[in-house]
Amino acid sequence: MMESATTSRLLVNANETTQSTADTCMKSIRMDLFVHVSLIPAVLITVLLSYVQRRASLLKTTDKLPLSKKFGIVVPVNFISSYSNRWSFGAACGATATTVFLLFFNEYSNYFNFTAPPWAKALVYLLSALEVAMDYYPFFACLSTENRILGSSLGFCYAVCWFCVQLADMFECQKITQASTILLLTPVPSLVCCLFLIGRFLHILVKTMLALRRPEEKQEHEEPLLPKHLTHYLNYLLKGFPEIDSKRCWLKQKIYTFDPSFKFPTRMIVTAVLCLICLYNFFLVDLFVSPKAVKGLEHWALITINLSYENRTIWVLNLLKDSWFYATFPAAFTSVIYILHLLSCYRKQMKKLYKGTSDISRQSKPPVILAASIRYTGNQIAYLLWGYFLLHILFFLISLMITFWFIIPIQEGRGIIILQGLGYTVLGIVIMVGVIVIQILASQFFFLQDKINPKDKSKPLAINNRRAFQNFSYFFMFYSAILGFGACLIRIMLNVFLGSWLLARIDRPLFPRGYEGADMGYSTWIGMLLVDFHHTNPVALSFCHLLLHDLSTSKQLKSTDALHDCKKKQRKIKWHLAYTLINNPVLILSRKQHNCSSSSLSLRQQMLERIRICAVHSHFHKQTLALADNDTEASTTESLDHYFC
């Protein structure tokens, strides 16, 4: 009978698998092939944007290759000191989230469609990640380029292409079932981000075209060295920070308070968006995979377990399935709270660094710190997903403990026994805590000396009644040994619980003081904070801003002074030239300007020029002859004039 039941179940499973394989259809769009083909337009767009990007200086190869100052380096996104277009870059990263998330699963494991040896799998994943990064590079480059018209046009076309292909792939060959509904919801965040980018590129294009028609409304795209919120911080630093209003609403007091002197950089916005989307995808995958895992476990249990325990096994499996399902939601909710709390911790610690009150010490070398900041966003996503998984297991175990220790015994009529055991446990804990409280009270009232000053808050750490203290310590030494076993067990349980609970929070070290460097997640967080602090310090940026402002003003003053001196010198030279030519009109015909143009003058024009020179010379000498005392000199000059004319 047992064999017939198991064979019938195997036949049912076989029929389900054959039916599922028969219902599959061939898609017209292969996403893995589309990702490979997308490299061609991505590279072309990147080269074109690099061509229009101006370089600050010429290269040594400019004399060999006539590149002038073109083909500059395109910066996709400024993670450190960028505060504009933050949500646009967040949407661009959100568009990549689903593709990057699928790299972890089997359909994208053979990413380059070839079988790699086991030692080369890490290299395959590295190349896959670089290929995906190149595929989505135009989104970031088109947002950050200085040529707004070209960047917005190319970005709009590229985003529309990705949106249409992903939308067609999502709805093709799908049947309305529970599993297909979960799979349909997976790429929704990426599609929403692509749609946001399409609207953003269109907005940039229209705004730039209108600005070209109205030049007075043009805006500079380069970010200032000292942002506006850091200017507010400097004003508060000089004039004093505003007092906290005690009449604020509960939401502002407990959850979030707007601060005009602080603004999250692009890196934190991008990290928060990626964490939310990856957590959403992981949550859907959890809902999709868990029923299949339970079904496989049920099939294995029915084969291996005796038939007399079949009903009991099915009941236990259903209980496990329900416990795992209901543990999903508090784990996801806690992970979302962690993401929001991450932003709050970043703001608090950056403010402490600005004020100089932070206890963060730079123990590593600058290259290690900078490399840690590079790894931050990716590590934060990985730690969040692992933290969600451990939280899921933790809530699952808690639900099982509550079910098997309380709910099931109460349903079976053993509630009094459970209450009795719970009472014994609580009594032991109360006795243990009571002994500790007695030790504290005895130390306070009998074994410490009185206050030196009545205004002191506490007694000094000086022992009084030494004989009684030594006897008290002796008798409690044996009980403390017994108490230590329970305290050690509580410590182990708390370490496991808090370690699993706080795994996703890399802003806190899991290791004790002195071993923080072994925690790679915490080291990544510290490196990111230090890099952001050194590049966004308001005092340092204001100092550099003042230096650059003084340098630009001094250059302007020097340029105006030089222009004034140049004009004065030109006027002096022209006056000397006019005086020389009036005294020596023959030199007019010998000037370079006159010689260059004399070949094109006709004979009549040359005669008119000679008559004009004679007239000027005769008019000048009429004035000089009236004042001349020497007649011979005048006659000589007159003869020369006659000869010249």
Side-chain angles (χ1 to χ4, degrees), residues 589 593-594 596-606 609:
L589 300 175
Q593 183 179 1
H594 190 274
C596 293
S597 60
S598 61
S599 59
S600 61
L601 293 176
S602 61
L603 182 62
R604 184 176 179 181
Q605 289 174 339
Q606 292 181 4
E609 185 73 22

Side-chain angles (χ1 to χ4, degrees), residues 387-405:
Y388 165 78
F389 183 69
L390 289 182
L391 281 175
H392 197 175
I393 295 176
L394 186 64
F395 283 115
F396 172 68
L397 294 177
I398 292 173
S399 63
L400 287 182
M401 290 170 57
I402 295 173
T403 302
F404 284 100
W405 288 0

Side-chain angles (χ1 to χ4, degrees), residues 36 108-114 123-129 131:
H36 298 320
Y108 274 78
S109 59
N110 297 324
Y111 203 67
F112 292 99
N113 294 326
F114 64 89
L123 184 61
V124 169
Y125 279 108
L126 174 62
L127 295 177
S128 303
E131 182 183 10

Side-chain angles (χ1 to χ4, degrees), residues 160 188 200 237-238 264 278 318 335 363 392 398 511 563 581 600 604:
V160 168
V188 169
R200 178 60 180 164
L237 191 63
L238 295 175
F264 290 104
C278 289
N318 291 330
S335 299
Q363 299 179 354
H392 197 175
I398 292 173
F511 298 153
L563 182 62
L581 292 178
S600 61
R604 184 176 179 181

Side-chain angles (χ1 to χ4, degrees), residues 438-473:
I438 289 172
Q439 291 175 352
I440 295 174
L441 293 176
S443 300
Q444 173 69 22
F445 293 104
F446 297 105
F447 302 133
L448 285 178
Q449 296 179 8
D450 295 333
K451 296 180 180 179
I452 300 174
N453 190 348
K455 296 182 180 180
D456 293 339
K457 293 182 178 180
S458 60
K459 293 182 177 182
L461 190 59
I463 300 176
N464 192 13
N465 299 322
R466 288 178 175 269
R467 294 179 181 274
F469 174 75
Q470 300 296 343
N471 284 277
F472 192 82
S473 300

Side-chain angles (χ1 to χ4, degrees), residues 4-18 299:
S4 62
T6 54
T7 52
S8 63
R9 289 186 178 275
L10 290 174
L11 289 174
V12 170
N13 291 330
N15 292 330
E16 290 179 356
T17 54
T18 54
H299 175 66

